[in-house]
Amino acid sequence: MNEKPASLWQRLFGDSVRAFGVISVVFLLSIAIAPAKNFFSEWRHYQRGYLKTIRNRSDANTLQRHFAGGIQQVWLPELGVVDRCTSCHVGLKEAGLSDVPTQPYRTHPPIPHKLDQFGCTTCHRGQGAATTVAESHRSTLAWEQPILPAKYIESSCGQCHRGQLAGTPQLNQGRALLARQGCLHCHTVKLPDGSTLKATDDPPSLSHIADKTSREWIFAWLKDPQAYASTSTMPNFKLSDDDARDISAFLIANSSPLPGDTVNVPAKASADPAAGASLYGESFCASCHAVQNAAGNIVGGDVGPELTRVGTKVKPEWLQAWLRNPRAYNPATGMPHYRFNDGQVAMLAGFLQGKADSDFLSNVHLDTATPEQVAHGKRLVSDYGCASCHEIAGIRKPENFAPELSRIGSKPVTQLIFLSGMQHTLPDYIAGKIKNPRAFSPGLKMPQYTFTPQQIDALTTALLSLNERSYTLPSSLAVPGRVETDYQPAGKAGKLMTDLACFSCHRINGHGSDMAPDLTWEGSSVQRDWLVQFFKNPGTLRPALIRRMPRFNLTDGEVNELADYIMTVYQSPKVDRDSMPLGGYSQGQIELGRQLFYGKYSCQGCHIVDTKTDKGYIGPTLTHVGSRLTAAWIYEWMRNPQSLRPGTVEPNRAMNDEDARALTAFLISQKGGEKSSRSSKAANSNSHAREVAKR
């Protein structure tokens, strides 16, 4: 058996000459492996495929001149980027290759950045230094950050852009969901600038919950919040009957009545249900609150809670006290004080009490709570972190209740526990955790949300943007979001504005909402007489919008207080409202302005001046703009609208002075029929509101 190997050895290495020859051959073969391997490398294969693809094209010569063979590299040391992706994706910069159906030969879709400004991995992730498909695109033993799925690509924009961005609707939605769905009450998100992401929702205080509702309703709500209101942001904690019973017992036992005579004896309700529906519509409650109509569709706004079954929830005496003055129960509420009289309060309360569902509480039967149940309920409230969202007397807001998410987008895959059958990638883990958190462990406290697949993708996108790169970016590349101030108006007018919850709809000096126009420079833009009349009887400036400013039943003294404050304080340094007259313009200048309006600038495409012919419903109606705005504001707006209201959709037309003055003359002349038109608009608006309430 040993003779053959010995004979072979003798032939190959029997003497020094033979040994030298054999070793030389082996050495030459080993040296030849490297160039052979390089010749058959994947990137060469794709480059040859690219040359074959462009060979018969009409622009082949141009593409051939642009082609550079060999390994291509983008090096951006300030970003920590070393990308060799263009070694295979050689046609990324060739706009003419948009018709090529296959990768990696297609041109890159249009983006607002140069391809060599950020490289590839800044947006797409993956291992940029690799030159094989497996190592660059997928997770390997040496690299665990695969290429980012295309549906989450907007998360990369969030690394630099800290605020809303017009081209990233999914990222914007995800950030909004994070802020308003309760996530930030439990999870901390620290931003690269040192600030902390703040929640935008307003969970109610539970310290006086017994004044508002019953223990039975609390029990049914805890068992399934969406069974009461499909739009509820309260998640389902999957509580057992005993746990829901004990938590409801504790909340009722722990509730204290509000000091003073806050909840009065209910006034007598109107015998006419239609009158309550009319008042609901005229008050534009649907601008903030939604209801489910007969077809099962949710109609209305999402600023306040859904009111489909509100009569099942609240006690009649509490509801009337709330409608009379909501700030007596909750000083921080976003609900305005309407100043309803007793008859209106009873009328509206009766209408809302009629929105009830007898089936919601039909199977709820609770015995009197025992001290042991109350004590157990208190422990559950602490264990589930209820005080993270709600103010509860005797329960401290927990700190670090849930994991911090500041860098969740860079969390190592080796630190994650995946479900059976789940792809071992960070996006799959995040999406799976949002969709069904307790599938990862029955002992987890994270509740079950009812997010749609689209919302899960949006949330995943927002969370993936919270990664290590966003913290290490050069400050010159970071685009800060809109700064939210803590501005509060002063004096009697300031108290009135707080009472009317102006900031729930309007933004002033960097504080408030975007549901209604920004009022920062309102004193420079409008005439005082118009403002006074608007406070007394608000009309609509945009007929196509359903949301309207309601009538707050203000006294003459309150109207004048607000008008004086706005006209004095909310002044723009760019506009001297008394620098141009409100009338006296020549007919020739007015006619020139009319021609410019309908001709050169085609303003009627968005605005209405002539109600018989104009069809512009995008911008505000201008039929009576001469009685509403100051001439100086109109002139400056014509010159550069973005300088007065950044972000407005009104384009900057770089208008010359002559055109701006002529258009100002034309618009300031639009004053006729103010009173009759306002009354007609109010009637039409009220009719429309009543129809919305009925639906």
Side-chain angles (χ1 to χ4, degrees):
M1 293 291 295
N2 296 327
E3 292 180 359
K4 289 185 178 181
S7 175
L8 181 61
W9 177 266
Q10 182 65 29
R11 289 180 182 178
L12 295 177
F13 302 100
D15 54 48
S16 59
V17 175
R18 291 181 182 180
F20 178 78
V22 171
I23 292 174
S24 298
V25 171
V26 172
F27 181 69
L28 288 172
L29 289 174
S30 64
I31 292 176
I33 289 175
K37 182 178 179 181
N38 181 57
F39 180 79
F40 291 105
S41 61
E42 284 186 303
W43 61 269
R44 283 190 183 277
H45 164 74
Y46 286 117
Q47 287 187 2
R48 288 194 292 268
Y50 173 76
L51 294 174
K52 183 178 179 180
T53 299
I54 67 173
R55 183 179 303 159
N56 297 321
R57 293 176 60 91
S58 59
D59 54 353
N61 291 335
T62 301
L63 296 173
Q64 181 70 51
R65 286 197 305 271
H66 293 173
F67 172 75
I71 292 180
Q72 305 299 307
Q73 179 169 286
V74 175
W75 181 39
L76 303 171
E78 69 278 10
L79 294 178
V81 168
V82 178
D83 285 355
R84 296 171 179 167
C85 309
T86 50
S87 299
C88 296
H89 295 271
V90 289
L92 286 181
K93 298 181 182 180
E94 301 294 346
L97 296 179
S98 59
D99 60 331
V100 175
T102 57
Q103 282 285 32
Y105 308 131
R106 288 201 304 265
T107 186
H108 197 286
I111 55 174
H113 303 292
K114 294 181 179 178
L115 292 178
D116 53 4
Q117 184 178 8
F118 291 99
C120 300
T121 53
T122 300
C123 295
H124 294 280
R125 302 196 184 185
Q127 185 177 193
T131 56
T132 67
V133 173
E135 290 182 341
S136 59
H137 285 208
R138 295 189 283 271
S139 176
T140 66
L141 292 176
W143 183 263
E144 63 173 29
Q145 288 289 350
I147 196 169
L148 191 67
K151 66 178 178 178
Y152 301 127
I153 196 65
E154 290 179 17
S155 66
S156 300
C157 305
Q159 297 172 145
C160 298
H161 296 271
R162 309 287 160 73
Q164 281 209 349
L165 191 62
T168 58
Q170 184 164 287
L171 175 63
N172 296 342
Q173 182 189 17
R175 285 172 165 172
L177 288 170
L178 270 179
R180 68 173 301 173
Q181 292 290 331
C183 310
L184 301 178
H185 293 293
C186 293
H187 297 278
T188 300
V189 175
K190 296 178 181 177
L191 301 176
D193 61 4
S195 63
T196 302
L197 201 60
K198 300 296 183 184
T200 57
D201 61 331
D202 184 24
S205 169
L206 304 182
S207 297
H208 314 292
I209 190 66
D211 284 348
K212 181 177 182 179
T213 191
S214 65
R215 183 186 168 201
E216 287 73 17
W217 183 88
I218 296 174
F219 173 90
W221 167 263
L222 290 171
K223 288 292 294 179
D224 188 358
Q226 281 66 42
Y228 169 77
S230 61
T231 59
S232 171
T233 58
M234 169 88 171
N236 192 330
F237 282 83
K238 301 294 184 179
L239 298 171
S240 66
D241 287 352
D242 288 349
D243 286 351
R245 176 200 64 196
D246 294 352
I247 292 176
S248 65
F250 165 71
L251 292 176
I252 292 296
N254 191 58
S255 176
S256 60
L258 281 170
D261 188 20
T262 304
V263 179
N264 299 310
V265 177
K268 186 176 181 181
S270 170
D272 182 10
S278 178
L279 182 58
Y280 181 90
E282 292 168 3
S283 302
F284 297 108
C285 304
S287 293
C288 295
H289 298 280
V291 294
Q292 191 177 62
N293 61 19
N297 298 319
I298 298 297
V299 179
D302 59 357
V303 178
E306 182 185 330
L307 301 179
T308 302
R309 299 173 179 83
V310 65
T312 306
K313 174 183 179 180
V314 299
K315 297 179 178 179
E317 56 272 24
W318 180 90
L319 180 57
Q320 290 205 14
W322 174 264
L323 294 173
R324 189 172 285 109
N325 185 4
R327 296 188 184 282
Y329 181 83
N330 180 8
T333 182
M335 171 92 170
H337 181 188
Y338 275 84
R339 291 156 171 76
F340 291 129
N341 60 39
D342 286 348
Q344 291 174 316
V345 166
M347 187 186 305
L348 189 53
F351 168 72
L352 293 174
Q353 285 293 155
K355 292 184 174 297
D357 182 358
S358 58
D359 293 334
F360 185 67
L361 301 178
S362 60
N363 295 321
V364 180
H365 305 286
L366 301 176
D367 296 328
T368 303
T370 65
E372 291 77 17
Q373 291 172 350
V374 172
H376 182 234
K378 183 176 182 179
R379 289 195 299 273
L380 289 171
V381 165
S382 297
D383 290 344
Y384 282 107
C386 302
S388 296
C389 294
H390 301 279
E391 177 186 341
I392 305 173
I395 305 292
R396 291 182 58 186
K397 179 179 175 66
E399 297 181 1
N400 303 320
F401 182 74
E404 184 176 328
L405 300 179
S406 302
R407 289 175 169 84
I408 182 65
S410 295
K411 192 173 181 67
V413 177
T414 53
Q415 297 180 11
L416 304 177
I417 299 176
F418 293 91
L419 298 179
S420 176
M422 177 183 287
Q423 291 289 325
H424 285 209
T425 68
L426 182 60
D428 284 290
Y429 172 82
I430 293 175
K433 194 67 179 289
I434 295 171
K435 182 178 181 180
N436 190 4
R438 296 193 184 177
F440 290 79
S441 174
L444 292 178
K445 296 176 181 177
M446 182 171 171
Q448 180 67 54
Y449 285 85
T450 55
F451 294 126
T452 65
Q454 181 187 18
Q455 289 175 320
I456 292 174
D457 286 345
L459 278 166
T460 303
T461 300
L463 292 172
L464 287 170
S465 72
L466 303 171
N467 57 40
E468 195 66 42
R469 188 184 292 278
S470 67
Y471 284 82
T472 58
L473 275 173
S475 57
S476 60
L477 295 180
V479 182
R482 185 174 63 178
V483 177
E484 183 70 23
T485 70
D486 57 358
Y487 167 75
Q488 291 294 332
K492 292 182 180 179
K495 292 180 180 178
L496 268 173
M497 293 173 72
T498 299
D499 202 36
L500 297 174
C502 299
F503 291 102
S504 294
C505 298
H506 296 278
R507 192 171 183 83
I508 307 175
N509 289 328
H511 176 60
S513 173
D514 295 324
M515 191 168 79
D518 191 311
L519 301 181
T520 303
W521 309 131
E522 187 73 359
S524 295
S525 67
V526 300
Q527 301 173 33
R528 189 184 187 282
D529 289 344
W530 176 87
L531 187 61
V532 168
Q533 293 303 317
F534 185 78
F535 277 134
K536 291 182 177 180
N537 188 15
T540 177
L541 303 176
R542 291 175 170 84
L545 297 182
I546 295 177
R547 288 177 172 175
R548 301 280 190 273
M549 177 159 163
R551 181 175 179 176
F552 290 122
N553 306 300
L554 299 169
T555 66
D556 287 345
E558 290 173 330
V559 167
N560 286 319
E561 186 74 43
L562 285 171
D564 288 341
Y565 187 85
I566 290 173
M567 299 302 295
T568 303
V569 176
Y570 298 144
Q571 290 282 332
S572 169
K574 299 179 180 180
V575 179
D576 179 3
R577 69 183 180 204
D578 299 321
S579 63
M580 296 181 71
L582 298 178
Y585 296 93
S586 69
Q587 191 60 40
Q589 198 170 20
I590 293 173
E591 177 59 25
L592 174 60
R594 189 189 70 80
Q595 293 176 9
L596 291 171
F597 185 93
Y598 286 103
K600 181 177 181 180
Y601 297 110
S602 298
C603 305
Q604 75 276 15
C606 294
H607 300 279
I608 293 175
V609 167
D610 187 336
T611 56
K612 295 181 180 179
T613 59
D614 299 344
K615 304 297 182 183
Y617 290 99
I618 297 174
T621 299
L622 303 178
T623 50
H624 306 97
V625 66
S627 298
R628 177 168 64 90
L629 298 181
T630 63
W633 177 269
I634 295 174
Y635 171 77
E636 293 296 337
W637 184 267
M638 294 293 105
R639 297 277 290 173
N640 186 359
Q642 277 75 26
S643 69
L644 299 177
R645 287 186 180 159
T648 179
V649 297
E650 177 82 14
N652 183 357
R653 302 178 185 273
M655 196 176 294
N656 61 47
D657 183 73
E658 182 183 1
D659 286 0
R661 290 186 180 277
L663 277 166
T664 300
F666 170 66
L667 292 174
I668 209 69
S669 69
Q670 307 303 313
K671 302 175 184 285
E674 182 69 12
K675 290 184 180 180
S676 61
S677 177
R678 185 185 297 114
S679 300
S680 175
K681 285 184 177 180
N684 291 337
S685 178
N686 292 343
S687 175
H688 173 75
R690 284 192 292 270
E691 290 300 317
V692 170
K694 290 178 181 178
R695 291 198 297 269

